[in-house]
Amino acid sequence: MLSSSSSERWLSRGLLDVLIRAGLIAVLAIACFRVFYPFLNLMVWSLILAVTLYPLQVGLKDKLISKDGHAATLIVLIAIAIIIVPAYLLGAAIVEPVQQAMGTVESGEFQIPPPAESVAHWPLVGQRLYDFWSQAATDLTGVAQKFAPQLKDFGVALLKAIAGVGSGLLMFSVALIIAGVIMAYGDKGHRSAVQIASRISGPERGPRITQLCTATIRAVAQGVIGIAFIQMLLVGVAFVIKGIPGAGLLALGVLLLGIMQLPATLITVPVIVFVFATEGVSVVAIIFSIYVFVAGLADNVLKPLLLGRGVDVPMPVVLIGALGGMVTGGIIGLFVGPVLLAVGYQLFWQWVEDQPQVASSDDSGQS
């Protein structure tokens, strides 16, 4: 038998050993996180892309290509080509008009047409817009000098935005390559994910949580991109039929806004104003404006129908997770938010449903 003092010393020594081990593990975890943190966004993007594109690899493997590595390589090459070619065409389409505009301004041949008389009768801003437009049409140099600081700030912001887009495309391309490596070992990766989830939440819930995370990522990716693509078609066709200048670029902008979860009205409303300003009020302009404005709001109807399909979680949970994640974490948060909220929702209701049936047993005993 151990005395009380010796047992206390043994307990204190055991507690000290536990604290030392926990401290060392915490230090190791923090050090590993600091080393891995610069690559966190890249790896999260790679994992999202791998989970989203993996069904395509399975289809290619079953029908055309026998090896996982070859199928993943083909998907990555096609995806990079789909990104680079439109990016090059978009850059060329932007640079060439800018160069032509700069040459026109330098030659002094650039003239702004005077506004229509109907602009002055627009409610609230009509007279101010008419006066400013008239001044720009008669004295463009004076207007440019008046707003020189604002134009300079706008130019700097535009250059930063273009640089950000370039770096984003580069990171996305690298993430695609890493996603191809992950897809090449898709079966092993799935087993590892199930093992990790089972170790955290138990062997019964692990496979369910893994399946839920996978389905949520795919549903958000397909829902967001699919909705943005449908909206681009609805708006872009109207722009092309109406003959709006730069209709293709504007439609591409609608697609990008849809992916970033921003309203398409940022593009459709200025286009509507442009049509009324250049053509005046007519039946065709009114029909075009109503259609384009409604098409710009189509995502509000499509999201409840498409977002979250195939996920064993109510659609509002996925939608709130996507919007909240977008606000807090940007584009990556658009995918991470629904996953976290869906997993939390499932764990919460499992905890609620797993409560012991105390009341029913007491009732049976009293009876």
Side-chain angles (χ1 to χ4, degrees):
M1 296 292 293
L2 294 174
S3 62
S4 59
S5 60
S6 60
S7 62
E8 291 177 359
R9 287 197 300 270
W10 183 82
L11 289 175
S12 62
R13 181 180 300 175
L15 180 60
L16 181 62
D17 290 342
V18 171
L19 292 177
I20 291 175
R21 292 173 184 174
L24 292 176
I25 293 174
V27 170
L28 179 61
I30 293 173
C32 292
F33 178 77
R34 293 187 63 180
V35 172
F36 183 73
Y37 181 75
F39 306 96
L40 181 60
N41 289 342
L42 180 63
M43 295 307 298
V44 171
W45 264 122
S46 302
L47 184 61
I48 291 171
L49 292 173
V51 171
T52 304
L53 297 175
Y54 188 69
L56 179 59
Q57 176 183 327
V58 174
L60 286 176
K61 181 183 175 183
D62 294 339
K63 296 180 180 180
L64 299 177
I65 302 175
S66 59
K67 294 185 178 180
D68 289 329
H70 295 169
T73 302
L74 179 61
I75 292 173
V76 170
L77 292 177
I78 294 175
I80 291 178
I82 292 174
I83 293 174
I84 291 179
V85 173
Y88 173 78
L89 295 177
L90 177 62
I94 293 176
V95 170
E96 185 176 355
V98 169
Q99 291 178 345
Q100 294 178 356
M102 291 179 61
T104 304
V105 172
E106 291 176 355
S107 63
E109 299 176 356
F110 181 73
Q111 296 291 334
I112 296 179
E117 294 294 335
S118 59
V119 176
H121 302 288
W122 289 2
L124 299 179
V125 298
Q127 188 60 44
R128 294 182 181 179
L129 180 61
Y130 180 83
D131 295 338
F132 176 78
W133 195 339
S134 301
Q135 182 182 1
T138 56
D139 187 13
L140 181 59
T141 304
V143 173
Q145 292 176 352
K146 180 180 179 181
F147 293 95
Q150 290 82 355
L151 293 175
K152 181 180 179 181
D153 295 338
F154 175 76
V156 173
L158 181 61
L159 291 177
K160 289 182 179 180
I162 294 174
V165 171
S167 62
L169 289 174
L170 178 61
M171 189 187 79
F172 197 79
S173 301
V174 176
L176 271 173
I177 297 174
I178 299 176
V181 177
I182 296 175
M183 288 189 296
Y185 300 93
D187 294 335
K188 295 180 180 178
H190 180 264
R191 289 195 296 268
S192 300
V194 172
Q195 290 176 352
I196 294 172
S198 300
R199 186 68 178 88
I200 294 174
S201 59
E204 296 181 356
R205 299 175 181 175
R208 292 175 57 188
I209 291 178
T210 305
Q211 183 179 3
L212 175 65
C213 294
T214 302
T216 305
I217 291 175
R218 289 174 182 167
V220 172
Q222 295 170 4
V224 170
I225 297 176
I227 292 171
F229 186 76
I230 292 173
Q231 197 169 25
M232 179 196 70
L233 290 179
L234 293 175
V235 176
V237 169
F239 286 174
V240 172
I241 294 176
K242 185 60 177 174
I244 302 297
L249 294 179
L250 293 175
L252 182 61
V254 172
L255 175 65
L256 296 177
L257 289 178
I259 294 175
M260 293 186 294
Q261 295 295 285
L262 295 176
T265 51
L266 294 175
I267 291 179
T268 57
V269 170
V271 170
I272 292 173
V273 173
F274 171 79
V275 170
F276 279 117
T278 55
E279 300 182 6
V281 179
S282 62
V283 176
V284 176
I286 293 174
I287 295 175
F288 168 81
S289 302
I290 294 174
Y291 171 79
V292 169
F293 185 76
V294 173
L297 300 176
D299 58 330
N300 297 309
V301 178
L302 295 175
K303 283 178 182 177
L305 297 176
L306 300 180
L307 195 62
R309 293 182 61 183
V311 181
D312 190 19
V313 168
M315 186 279 303
V317 175
V318 179
L319 181 59
I320 292 173
L323 297 179
M326 178 70 186
V327 172
T328 57
I331 299 298
I332 293 181
L334 181 66
F335 297 90
V336 177
V339 171
L340 294 178
L341 211 58
V343 172
Y345 176 86
Q346 286 279 18
L347 293 178
F348 172 75
W349 278 108
Q350 288 178 3
W351 173 75
V352 170
E353 294 171 356
D354 289 344
Q355 57 183 331
Q357 302 295 330
V358 178
S360 60
S361 61
D362 291 344
D363 294 340
S364 61
Q366 291 176 1
S367 62

